[in-house]
């Protein structure tokens, strides 16, 4: 018998236990948040010209709203054309009135005062979507005089009126769909009858009824119904027994619904499914704000959906689609109680859920990494099929409402199940062809941009900030070629070819120029701490700067940058392009002007919290091209051979100057520098 001591047995047992443990599968580490869900919209090289056609009357909530976001000039929400051949436009104001006007903006009048007709239960002073939300004219309005509205009610309605579909017992507002029948469809103001079709209760003052509209192929009425503001913490959007967080489809002429006031189309995708509402067309939504059908192509239905945390999305909506909200936001995983409001990768078994994912969209940062209002809202638009603007043909034009930004994605790339289509930003020009912004045109930082279209498919832009309507009348090529000239400066690797701020910080080994020691802040305006300009050759007006650049500062360090200087006239007057690994700070990754004052950011991509995608994130060489048309002021920055600029700007302060290279407080190098353009001697 072998004598095994207690100590040796313990050692043997521990070894066996360790071996056994190594054979047990370990739980997979939870994936971390997705840092950059979608690339920033790229400069399109195209701008749209806007012609002001009207300003509608000022209005206010009743009583006065406590939320500053409701205190705009008015709350005009859409523009459409009445389908009767008259050429009359209609515009609903969420504060209560529907206006009509002629194509040129003349002939404005109040067609219907919904607030006055509904009376004291009309609610419009709490919640961004409250009030007279939308109007949809029946395709045969010219003969039957029918149109439909969505509005919000509270007060006595909460006690005296019962919702027609399942609603929260503690609802704070009701959303109501009303059918109006005009006695004379040609009349300038409404006279006739009304009947209530449908009433739904909502748990909060937001995300109620949004757009309503008739399908072009089936003549049925589609209703975009928000989640009542509670989808971020509940299963409501996924619950097929309730209408909130869904798109409904009904037949206003039918009577086979539960309340006998409308019909259930026999082709509805959830009809006959156990426990499901027969009205459902698609599910899984937070704030399905705007939808439209492409009048050309394959006639897809597109929905602009406002996100909760990070992603704003456009979806192609098919019958029975589940957009995933409550479990998904956009194309990523949503976690209800994430303290930083971040999104996560999809699980490996995601396909089994059958969710529909976006075909276009954009992302944004949360304020200070928290969960407050991000100040972003995707405003769904239209696939352009008009004839006046060939450059936009086949493009889905949409926007960001708060800041008033205009975007497009190519419809041919917007396919369910395919990679998300690239989004491009449209610059804005006034009717005289001068570069501007919607903030400037609206006269306020909160634009509250909305979009509309006429019967011919031409586009219109509205702003609640000043109640104005603009027609999109044409396009401007923002990156058109300028006279490049024939002067070229190259082979600039010797010390004699450069003038540094501090010569001792630079090395000139022969095939590149090296900033080997980081600069230090200097007196005067805030500007790059250390740079050198090329003194060889002429001063340039129109100029193209081509170079290979590299950041030598380790990637572990924050605030890494190199800069390309151009238009340099003195140490306190020049432009520079900041190429950084960060795009979330005002001073990083943008185009700047130093004009005897602290550097001013001038690029189109900065939206107040995020700019163009980071230009340099590693320690490798990157090819950079900067073009500047001095006469027009158009500046474009291209990285790594892309034909699409990473950054753009328009500024005419500096008409000429020299080019160079540097950094704020990092080290790096430049090679293959070539400056070409129109030299000034």
């Amino acid at each position: 018998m072998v004598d095994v001591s207690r100590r040796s047995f313990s050692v043997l047992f521990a070894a066996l236990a360790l071996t056994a443990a190594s054979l047990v599968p370990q739980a997979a580490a939870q994936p971390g948040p997705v840092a950059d869900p979608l690339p920033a919209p790229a400069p399109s090289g195209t701008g749209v010209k806007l012609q002001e056609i009207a300003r509608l009357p000022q209005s206010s909530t009743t009583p006065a709203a406590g939320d500053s976001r409701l205190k705009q000039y008015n709350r005009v929400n859409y523009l459409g054309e009445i389908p009767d051949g008259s050429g009359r436009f209609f515009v609903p104001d969420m504060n209560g009135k529907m206006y009509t006007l002629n194509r040129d903006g003349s002939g404005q009048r109040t067609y219907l005062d919904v607030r006055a007709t509904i009376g004291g239960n009309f609610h419009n002073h709490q919640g961004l979507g409250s009030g007279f939300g939308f109007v949809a004219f029946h395709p045969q309005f010219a003969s039957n005089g029918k149109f439909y509205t969505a509005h919000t009610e509270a007060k006595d309605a909460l006690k005296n009126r019962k919702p027609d579909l399942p609603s929260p017992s503690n609802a704070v507002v009701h959303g109501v769909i009303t059918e109006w029948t005009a006695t004379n469809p040609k009349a300038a103001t409404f006279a006739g009858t009304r009947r209530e079709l449908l009433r739904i209760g909502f748990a909060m003052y937001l995300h109620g009824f949004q757009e309503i509209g008739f399908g072009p192929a089936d003549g049925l009425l589609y209703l975009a119904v928000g989640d009542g503001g509670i989808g971020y913490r509940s299963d409501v959007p996924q619950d097929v027994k309730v209408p909130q967080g869904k798109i409904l489809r009904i037949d206003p002429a039918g009577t086979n619904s539960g309340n006998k006031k409308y019909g259930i189309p026999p082709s509805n995708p959830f009809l006959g499914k156990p426990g499901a509402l027969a009205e459902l067309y698609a599910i899984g939504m937070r704030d399905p704000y705007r939808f439209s059908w492409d009048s050309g192509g394959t006639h897809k239905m597109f929905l602009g959906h406002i996100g909760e945390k990070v992603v704003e999305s456009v979806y192609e909506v098919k019958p029975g689609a589940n957009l995933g909200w409550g479990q998904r936001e956009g194309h990523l995983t949503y976690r209800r109680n994430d303290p930083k409001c971040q999104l996560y990768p999809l699980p490996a078994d995601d396909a089994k859920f059958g969710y529909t994912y976006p075909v276009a969209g954009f992302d944004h940062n949360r304020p200070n990494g928290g969960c407050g209002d991000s100040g972003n809202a995707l405003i769904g638009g239209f696939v352009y099929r008009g004839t006046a603007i060939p450059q936009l043909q086949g493009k889905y034009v949409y926007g960001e409402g708060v800041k008033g930004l205009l975007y497009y994605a190519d419809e041919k790339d917007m396919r369910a199940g395919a990679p998300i289509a690239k989004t491009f930003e449209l610059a804005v020009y006034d009717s005289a062809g001068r570069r501007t912004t919607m903030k400037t045109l609206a006269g306020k930082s909160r634009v509250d941009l909305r979009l509309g279209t006429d019967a011919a498919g031409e586009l219109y832009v509205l702003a609640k900030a000043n109640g104005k309507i603009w027609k999109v009348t044409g396009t401007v090529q923002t990156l058109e070629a300028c006279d490049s000239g024939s002067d070229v400066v190259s082979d600039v690797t010797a010390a004699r070819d450069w003038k540094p701020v501090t010569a001792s910080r630079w090395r000139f080994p022969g095939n590149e120029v090296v900033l080997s020691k980081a600069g230090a802040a200097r007196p005067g305006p805030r500007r790059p701490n250390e740079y050198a300009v090329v003194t060889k050759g002429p001063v340039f007006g129109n100029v193209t700067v081509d170079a290979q650049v590299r950041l030598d500062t380790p990637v572990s360090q924050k605030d890494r940058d190199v800069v390309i200087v151009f238009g340099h006239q003195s140490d306190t007057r020049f432009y520079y392009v900041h190429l950084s690994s960060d795009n979330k700070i005002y001073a990083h990754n943008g185009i700047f002007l130093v004009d005897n004052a602290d550097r001013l950011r001038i690029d189109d991509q900065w939206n107040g919290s995020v700019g163009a995608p980071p230009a340099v994130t590693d320690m490798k060489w990157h090819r950079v091209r900067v073009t500047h048309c001095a006469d027009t002021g158009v500046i474009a920055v291209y990285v790594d051979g892309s034909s699409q600029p990473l950054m753009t700007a328009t500024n005419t302060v500096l008409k000429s100057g020299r080019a160079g290279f540097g950094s704020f407080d990092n080290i790096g190098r430049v090679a293959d520098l070539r400056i070409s353009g129109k030299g000034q001697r």
Side-chain angles (χ1 to χ4, degrees), residues 270-603:
F270 289 85
L271 183 63
K273 291 188 176 182
L277 290 179
E279 289 89 345
L280 300 185
Y281 181 77
I283 70 172
M285 299 166 209
R286 175 184 182 267
D287 195 5
Y289 193 70
R290 288 289 181 267
F291 58 78
S292 65
W293 286 268
D294 181 4
S295 62
T298 56
H299 306 289
K300 299 173 185 175
M301 180 185 187
F302 290 116
L303 169 71
H305 187 270
I306 299 175
E308 168 76 15
K309 290 184 174 182
V310 181
V311 177
E312 308 285 319
S313 303
V314 179
Y315 293 87
E316 178 188 350
V317 180
K318 297 181 179 180
N322 183 349
L323 277 54
W325 171 236
Q327 304 297 324
R328 303 287 183 267
E329 179 175 332
H331 60 298
L332 297 171
T333 298
Y334 170 82
R335 296 180 184 173
R336 281 185 190 168
N337 298 315
D338 182 75
K340 294 186 178 181
C341 284
Q342 301 170 106
L343 299 179
Y344 296 82
L346 297 176
D349 62 348
D350 181 68
K352 73 181 184 182
F353 299 105
Y355 293 132
T356 292
Y357 289 118
V359 295
F362 55 88
D363 66 1
H364 49 76
N365 290 335
R366 304 300 308 186
N368 300 317
C371 296
D373 184 357
S374 71
N376 294 267
L378 188 148
I379 305 300
F382 310 89
V383 178
Y384 181 76
R385 300 294 181 185
T387 59
I389 313 172
Q391 295 87 346
L392 294 182
Q393 189 63 224
K395 292 177 171 55
Y396 178 78
V397 179
Y398 69 109
E400 193 290 305
V402 179
K403 294 176 286 292
L405 303 174
L406 292 170
Y407 300 132
Y408 77 76
D410 282 304
E411 181 273 333
K412 61 181 174 58
D413 298 328
M414 298 169 64
R415 304 187 307 277
I420 295 175
K422 191 170 185 178
T423 286
F424 298 90
E425 184 173 351
L426 289 163
V428 176
Y429 290 78
D430 64 18
S431 58
R434 294 173 298 221
R435 184 72 175 269
T436 185
T437 66
M438 284 306 306
K439 287 184 179 180
T440 299
L441 292 178
K444 195 173 180 180
S445 60
R446 186 182 180 93
V447 175
D448 271 340
L449 172 144
R450 300 296 185 269
L451 298 168
T453 185
D454 62 23
E458 302 303 332
L459 297 173
Y460 296 79
V461 177
L462 301 82
K464 293 181 184 179
N466 59 1
K468 290 186 177 183
I469 300 170
W470 298 265
K471 182 177 181 179
V472 180
T473 59
T475 57
V476 176
Q477 295 306 114
T478 62
L479 300 178
E480 57 191 345
C482 54
D483 183 2
S484 59
S486 58
D487 294 303
V488 177
V489 173
S490 61
D491 189 24
V492 283
T493 57
R496 63 178 177 275
D497 300 325
W498 294 79
K499 182 181 179 181
V501 171
T502 311
S504 61
R505 301 180 190 273
W506 295 81
R507 292 191 298 106
F508 302 90
N511 59 348
E512 58 189 16
V513 175
V514 182
L515 173 55
S516 58
K517 185 178 179 181
R522 295 172 287 128
R526 189 73 172 114
R527 61 204 189 279
N529 294 341
E530 184 63 39
Y531 65 88
V533 293
V534 175
T535 55
K536 179 180 178 179
V539 168
F540 283 88
N542 297 341
V543 69
T544 297
V545 181
D546 287 292
Q548 298 277 351
V549 302
R550 196 180 92 179
L551 244 171
D552 292 344
T553 302
V555 294
S556 58
Q557 182 173 320
K558 296 182 179 180
D559 302 344
R560 302 167 68 243
D561 77 274
V562 289
V563 303
I564 298 291
V565 171
F566 62 102
H568 184 277
Q569 298 181 0
S570 73
D571 187 34
T572 59
R573 295 198 82 209
F574 58 92
Y575 295 111
Y576 69 91
V577 175
H578 192 274
L579 305 168
S580 175
S581 55
D582 173 79
N583 67 341
K584 300 179 179 64
I585 297 176
Y586 174 85
H588 292 183
N589 214 67
I591 305 173
F592 296 84
L593 166 68
V594 179
D595 186 23
N596 294 321
D598 285 355
R599 40 96 172 104
L600 173 69
R601 186 157 192 160
I602 59 174
D603 58 280

Side-chain angles (χ1 to χ4, degrees), residues 36-85:
D36 188 15
L38 287 171
S44 65
T46 301
V48 289
K49 291 179 66 174
L50 302 183
Q51 173 69 54
E52 181 183 330
I53 65 166
R55 187 182 199 186
L56 293 174
Q58 191 169 8
S59 66
S60 60
T61 62
T62 303
D67 188 337
S68 62
R69 296 172 297 177
L70 296 178
K71 298 176 182 179
Q72 295 283 48
Y73 184 86
N74 60 27
R75 296 172 69 205
V76 290
N77 210 30
Y78 183 75
L79 178 145
E81 185 171 334
I82 298 175
D84 61 357

Side-chain angles (χ1 to χ4, degrees), residues 217-242:
D218 55 26
L220 300 173
L221 187 61
Y222 291 70
L223 315 172
V225 188
D227 67 358
I230 62 173
Y232 73 97
R233 57 176 170 83
S234 77
D235 293 322
V236 161
Q238 294 295 318
D239 186 351
V240 296
K241 298 186 297 296
V242 301

Side-chain angles (χ1 to χ4, degrees), residues 192-220:
T193 60
R194 65 183 171 99
R195 71 180 181 100
E196 185 175 304
L197 258 66
L198 176 62
R199 180 180 291 260
I200 296 175
F202 296 95
M204 295 177 68
Y205 293 107
L206 65 164
H207 305 176
F209 279 120
Q210 301 292 10
E211 178 161 357
I212 62 175
F214 283 90
D218 55 26
L220 300 173

